[in-house]
C-alpha cells in the first residue's frame, strides 16, 4: 500500500525529474515479508502485490530501489534476494553489514 503511495508521488514528479535527468532512489527498510495493514501473516498474494507495486514504480522512469533488511529470518532474506536476482529490477538488497562486506570482498573490491 505504501509503495503504491510512493509510486503516485514519483509519477506526479517524473516529468520534472526527467527533464533535469534526475533519478529517484527509493529505500525500503523492513523486518519481514510483505503483509497487508490488517494482517501480520504474509500470504502469497501479499508477495505478489509487492512485486506488482515494484514493477509499477520501476515503469515510471529512472528509479533505483534499495531494500534494507533488519532481520535474520531466512525466508525473508531469501524472498528479497530472489527479487534482487531478478534482472527486471534495479534493486539492491542489503541483508546485513557483515554479509555485504564479505560479498564486496569476494568480488575483489
Amino acid at each position: 500500500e505504501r509503495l503504491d503511495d510512493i509510486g503516485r508521488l514519483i509519477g506526479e514528479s517524473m516529468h520534472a525529474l526527467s527533464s533535469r535527468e534526475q533519478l529517484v532512489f527509493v529505500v525500503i527498510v523492513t523486518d519481514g515479508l510483505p503483509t497487508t495493514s490488517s494482517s501480520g501473516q504474509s500470504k502469497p498474494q501479499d508477495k505478489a502485490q509487492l512485486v506488482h507495486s515494484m514493477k509499477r514504480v520501476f515503469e515510471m522512469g529512472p528509479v533505483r530501489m534499495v531494500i534494507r533488511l533488519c532481520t535474520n529470518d531466512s525466508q525473508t532474506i531469501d524472498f528479497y534476494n530472489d527479487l534482487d536476482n531478478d534482472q527486471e529490477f534495479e534493486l539492491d538488497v542489503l541483508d546485513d553489514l557483515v554479509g555485504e562486506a564479505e560479498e564486496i570482498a569476494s568480488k575483489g573490491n
Side-chain angles (χ1 to χ4, degrees):
E1 295 170 8
R2 295 196 189 267
L3 191 53
D4 290 331
D5 294 339
I6 292 168
R8 279 189 284 282
L9 291 171
I10 292 170
E12 293 168 5
S13 304
M14 192 49 68
H15 179 72
L17 294 167
S18 295
S19 68
R20 294 188 302 256
E21 298 181 9
Q22 293 179 310
L23 296 174
V24 174
F25 281 86
V26 177
V27 179
I28 298 171
V29 179
T30 185
D31 64 353
L33 294 168
T35 61
T36 62
S37 58
S38 62
S39 169
Q41 297 294 323
S42 183
K43 298 179 179 100
Q45 60 264 32
D46 299 330
K47 295 173 185 174
Q49 178 60 44
L50 175 68
V51 171
H52 176 74
S53 295
M54 289 173 64
K55 286 180 181 179
R56 289 185 61 217
V57 169
F58 284 115
E59 288 171 355
M60 291 182 183
V63 175
R64 305 297 179 268
M65 193 175 294
V66 175
I67 299 179
R68 176 69 174 102
L69 299 179
C70 302
T71 184
N72 290 327
D73 177 67
S74 61
Q75 285 184 318
T76 300
I77 292 169
D78 290 346
F79 171 74
Y80 287 105
N81 280 334
D82 286 346
L83 291 179
D84 189 14
N85 292 329
D86 187 336
Q87 299 301 315
E88 188 173 356
F89 298 122
E90 287 287 340
L91 176 68
D92 285 312
V93 175
L94 307 176
D95 51 8
D96 70 273
L97 293 178
V98 173
E100 294 301 321
E102 289 171 352
E103 183 178 342
I104 291 168
S106 75
K107 299 199 191 269
N109 293 321

